[in-house]
Every structure is written in C-alpha cells, then in structure tokens.
Amino acid sequence: MPQGSAAHEPTHRVHHLADGREAIFFADANAAVPEPVADTRPLEPRGEPGELRYDRLTGDWVAVAAHRQSRTYLPPKEECPLCPSVHGRQSEIPAEDFNVVVFENRFPSLGPAMGRIPAAAPVQQPAPAYGRCEVVVFTPEHTGSFASLDDTRARTVIEAWAQRTAALSAMEDIAQVFVFENRGQDIGVTLHHPHGQIYAYPYLAPTAAKMAGQGIAHLEKTGRTLMGDILDFERKEGTRMVAEGEHFSVFVPYAARWPLEAHLVPHRHVPDFAALNADEKAELAVMYRDLLRGFDALYPTPTPYIAAWHQAPLEPVARKASRLHLQLTSPRRAADKLKFLAGSEAAMGAFINDVPAEQTAARLREVMP
C-alpha cells in the first residue's frame, strides 16, 4: 500500500449560499482553495425542520420530511446542481471550478435547526427533526465515481470527511455523525454527479445503538474491543480476507447479509475519521478507492452500492467500545439480478444470504487492483 505524506494538509474556506447555508471548499494538496462567487439565486428562506415521530413498538425515531418530495430528481448534466456554476447558470456550488465541496443539504431530512430531543415521546406527539445534513461533492466532473478519483483527490475527500466529522461532533446535542454514499440508480440516488452525504443525528440510530450495545458488553467482559477481536480473528483465519495494508484490512464479514459485502477496518483502535493520522488517511484513500474498483470489476457494468462509514457514537462509554469501520454493501447478486428485501428481511430483520462470505471474498481477491 502507498505510504502517506504528513505534509498533505488541505486548506478549506467557508462560504454562504443565497439562503444562508454553509458551503465549505476544500483544496487538493498543493492547490489553492477557489475563490467562490456570490450566490445570487432567488432562493426561498430555509424552512423549519420536519418531524421526528417515536415508534413505541420498537423504540425507534422516524423522520418525516415531506419537503423532500420536491427535491431534484436525476436532472441532465446541464441542470445538475452539483456541477460548477458556469455559462451564467448558478448551481449549489458558486464557483467555476473546485476540488471538493461540502454544503448543507437544501432538502434535509434533519435540521436546519439544532436542539435536544427527548429520550422518548408521549403518544402521537412529534419532536422537531433537529440535526444537520450535508452533501459532499467529490469532483467537478459530472460523470465518474469515487473509484475514478486519483490518489490526491481521494485523499482530499478523506480530509473533508475528517474535518466535517470533527466540526459536527462539536455541535451541541449531536449524538453521532454518519458519513455515507449511495451509488447507482438501483440504490435510489437522485443525482448522478459523484457525491456522498453526512448526517449528524440528535439521537443514536437503531443500527448504531445495537452495535454500541454489543461493543460495550464485549469490552466489559473481555477488556478488549469487539471489532479489534473480529479483525484479529479474520486476519489469522484468512478465508474471508480480501486485502491487508499497513494500517487497514478488508474482509467479508462471516455473517454477511448481502450478496456483496465487505468491511474495511483500521488496525488501530480509532473512533472516527478525525482521529486518523496522516499515514492512515493516505492509505485509507487508496485502499477504499481500490475496493470500490474491485466491486465494479465483478460485472460488466458499474455495481450499485451503499458505503456506510460507522463512526463511534459521541457518548463516552460507547465511544470507547466502538471502532471506525466501513460497511460496503450491494444488492447485486448477479450481472442482471438484484436482491430485494422481502418478508423475512424487511418485516423481521432476519436476513437470508444466497452467497457465502468465503465465495464473495475469493471473487474480490481475484479482481482487486
């Protein structure tokens, strides 16, 4: 794996869009942050947050965001809101060129207001959907993906994730910061332009709460972290390993739920992107990009996926027990077939996987760059 350079410290600049939303411009190594231009679009003022409704049967919060029905859906390139602002057309990015940009989502599931929500809610009494949703634009190019980025740009995206994780984690009443990417129309993306998202939740999401509980119980019982023990086992056992670097490893989880699934895990116990050192960030940028290229190499056409970066909750006990890791999944079970969540999975959360983890790992090893 390539070694990083501690000298890579991209600068960033905060700008404001016409309706007051923040847009943060990040520069590649040895590049200058572009000077944004004034956003003169006649945008409506930002609205109040939607609702969080408490499900008493499960103890989960459900966000209701009716305003998202009007968001932009698969526009042509000349109308893409994530492309640079050129030829007199202003997009969400007020600059003629850029490297990486993060901005507050115009159609957020959470926010824009911030505040504390209750642990539970009385019958049929919603709470405000506090929090923050951001869009991370990887490149000014309308086509491509994270897999098509060069080393330098991939590293800049990692730096942006780290900076935003630190900034959002410092905001009052945030419980967890979730970095993710939905790629492909089969997953349900609404914009083709290469991008990801960041959610800052005012509560611990159900999957995060479940993993934190498992991690805390394991730490209390053994004095070791659960993900650390899982990684050690997989590296020694070997059949599900896909790639090993100096700082990170990739393996297919033993109990994989999806026909394509891989975990990318740091060797050192770190809670989130902000805790990574320079060499770790450099290796992660290349290793993650190459894993995505491996997913794409499995079939003649690009593979749809969800890249979910699980970062530790901000609650101290859960944070001590939880390690940053990527869960990369795809519903693609053949070149022309997708796995859909049916009765057992959708209704009961009891997954049935037709593809053994060992088989997936062997296929990925064959195609990884």
Side-chain angles (χ1 to χ4, degrees):
M1 287 290 163
Q3 293 302 302
S5 168
H8 183 114
E9 293 293 343
T11 56
H12 61 276
R13 177 182 290 121
V14 178
H15 189 65
H16 287 89
L17 303 181
D19 55 3
R21 286 175 294 136
E22 285 188 334
I24 305 99
F25 287 72
F26 291 83
D28 290 340
N30 303 316
V33 181
E35 187 65 43
V37 298
D39 181 8
T40 59
R41 293 174 296 168
L43 300 181
E44 295 290 332
R46 304 189 73 186
E48 295 298 317
E51 293 181 352
L52 290 176
R53 297 188 177 189
Y54 186 70
D55 184 347
R56 294 193 295 154
L57 286 176
T58 64
D60 298 338
W61 287 100
V62 177
V64 180
H67 58 279
R68 286 174 56 80
Q69 287 279 45
S70 60
R71 68 189 187 275
T72 308
Y73 182 76
L74 299 178
K77 181 180 185 299
E78 59 272 17
E79 298 176 16
C80 176
L82 307 186
C83 284
S85 293
V86 293
H87 308 306
R89 187 189 73 88
Q90 288 193 308
S91 70
E92 287 282 74
I93 302 175
E96 292 187 353
D97 195 18
F98 60 87
N99 297 152
V100 174
V101 178
V102 180
F103 63 87
E104 290 183 78
N105 198 322
R106 188 177 173 187
F107 304 98
S109 302
L110 303 170
M114 306 287 281
R116 180 170 299 181
I117 65 169
V123 178
Q124 296 181 345
Q125 182 175 323
Y130 292 136
R132 180 149 162 157
C133 295
E134 298 183 341
V135 178
V136 185
V137 186
F138 302 153
T139 170
E141 300 298 324
H142 182 70
T143 57
S145 67
F146 193 102
S148 62
L149 302 180
D150 62 21
D151 290 7
T152 299
R153 180 59 51 77
R155 174 69 186 277
T156 305
V157 175
I158 299 294
E159 292 285 357
W161 287 342
Q163 193 277 339
R164 297 314 301 152
T165 293
L168 294 170
S169 296
M171 292 182 178
E172 193 172 356
D173 299 321
I174 294 301
Q176 186 175 31
V177 177
F178 176 47
V179 175
F180 66 101
E181 179 191 357
N182 302 323
R183 188 277 188 92
Q185 197 165 340
D186 290 327
I187 292 297
V189 299
T190 58
L191 296 172
H192 289 305
H193 195 113
H195 72 287
Q197 299 182 67
I198 305 175
Y199 277 20
Y201 294 102
Y203 57 90
L204 201 55
T207 295
K210 194 172 183 178
M211 288 196 299
Q214 289 287 100
I216 291 169
H218 186 84
L219 184 63
E220 291 176 347
K221 181 179 179 180
T222 68
R224 302 186 304 273
T225 61
L226 178 57
M227 182 55 81
D229 277 3
I230 291 172
L231 176 61
D232 289 345
F233 178 87
E234 294 296 347
R235 294 180 75 186
K236 291 174 183 176
E237 201 276 340
T239 58
R240 288 171 294 277
M241 291 300 300
V242 175
E244 293 187 75
E246 181 180 350
H247 304 290
F248 289 84
S249 286
V250 178
F251 61 88
V252 178
Y254 173 73
R257 289 166 166 76
W258 296 91
L260 287 177
E261 182 168 353
H263 289 184
L264 193 163
V265 182
H267 297 168
R268 186 169 67 94
H269 186 71
V270 291
D272 55 26
F273 283 112
L276 295 173
N277 62 38
D279 286 341
E280 288 167 335
K281 291 175 184 175
E283 182 176 278
L284 177 60
V286 176
M287 203 166 189
Y288 172 50
R289 183 201 59 198
D290 286 352
L291 176 58
L292 296 179
R293 290 178 178 179
F295 265 48
D296 277 348
L298 290 171
Y299 297 107
T301 57
T303 295
Y305 62 76
I306 295 174
W309 292 95
H310 295 285
Q311 304 197 88
L314 296 175
E315 192 279 321
V317 176
R319 192 166 182 80
K320 185 178 179 181
S322 306
R323 181 179 299 198
L324 167 73
H325 65 282
L326 166 72
Q327 181 188 29
L328 181 65
T329 61
S330 175
R332 197 171 196 177
R333 59 186 178 89
D336 58 349
K337 295 183 177 67
L338 297 176
K339 173 184 175 66
F340 293 94
L341 298 189
S344 184
E345 292 96 349
M348 298 303 292
F351 275 72
I352 303 167
N353 191 355
D354 299 334
V355 184
E358 296 75 15
Q359 179 180 323
T360 300
R363 294 182 64 210
L364 285 172
R365 287 195 295 268
E366 291 176 358
V367 300
M368 279 286 287

